Amino acid sequence: QVHLVESGGGSVQSGGSLTLTCTVSGYTDGIYFMGWFRQAPGKEREGVAVIGPDGRTTYGDSVKGRFTISRDNAKNTLGLQMNSLQPEDTAMYYCAAALGEYYSGGYPAESDYNYWGQGTQVTVSS
C-alpha cells in the first residue's frame, strides 16, 4: 500500500509563510496526480491545490496567487509553499494521491483520490 506523511505545519503570524511537505512511501507506481486539501473545525474539507504528471497545476480560488504546489518524483515528495497566510487559512492540511492518469475536466475530484495522509496542523494568528 501507499503511505503519505505530512510535515511542516505550525503556528505563524498573519502575513507569514510556511512550507508543507508530503513524503510518499510504499508502492508508488501509478501515482499520477497529487493534491493538498484542508479542513477547519466545523467546516467541510476543501481543495487547495493539485499537480499533474506533466507539472500542470490548479488552485482553489481562496489560495490562488499565495500558495504554490510542487512535486519531486525522484524524492517521492510533494510540497506546498504558503505565503501571505491569513487566519482564514487555519486548518488541518492533508495530502492525497490519485492513481488515474485521465479525468473528466483534466483533474481528479476529491472522491477520485485513493490515498490520504493523516494531516498537519496550520494555525495563523492575527
Side-chain angles (χ1 to χ4, degrees), residues 32-33 51-57 71 73 107:
Y32 288 91
F33 288 86
I51 186 166
D54 58 354
R56 60 190 173 96
T57 60
R71 69 191 300 175
N73 292 330
Y107 296 92

Side-chain angles (χ1 to χ4, degrees), residues 2-126:
V2 175
H3 299 273
L4 307 178
V5 180
E6 302 93 338
S7 63
S11 299
V12 298
Q13 294 271 51
S14 180
S17 299
L18 281 175
T19 300
L20 304 184
T21 299
C22 174
T23 301
V24 186
S25 63
Y27 185 75
T28 59
D29 290 356
I31 295 178
Y32 288 91
F33 288 86
M34 297 194 72
W36 286 98
F37 296 81
R38 67 185 184 185
Q39 186 170 25
K43 298 182 178 180
E44 295 184 354
R45 185 165 58 191
E46 65 175 339
V48 175
V50 180
I51 186 166
D54 58 354
R56 60 190 173 96
T57 60
T58 187
Y59 296 88
D61 291 340
S62 63
V63 306
K64 192 171 185 178
R66 299 187 297 121
F67 291 9
T68 302
I69 188 172
S70 62
R71 69 191 300 175
D72 188 330
N73 292 330
K75 297 181 179 180
N76 285 326
T77 59
L78 175 74
L80 182 68
Q81 178 64 49
M82 305 184 294
N83 298 323
S84 301
L85 285 163
Q86 301 298 314
E88 292 74 28
D89 296 314
T90 296
M92 185 72 74
Y93 283 71
Y94 302 88
C95 64
L99 300 179
E101 183 176 2
Y102 302 102
Y103 295 93
S104 177
Y107 296 92
E110 182 175 334
S111 61
D112 292 318
Y113 287 88
N114 305 96
Y115 302 98
W116 294 81
Q118 295 299 305
T120 185
Q121 180 68 40
V122 172
T123 302
V124 185
S125 61
S126 59

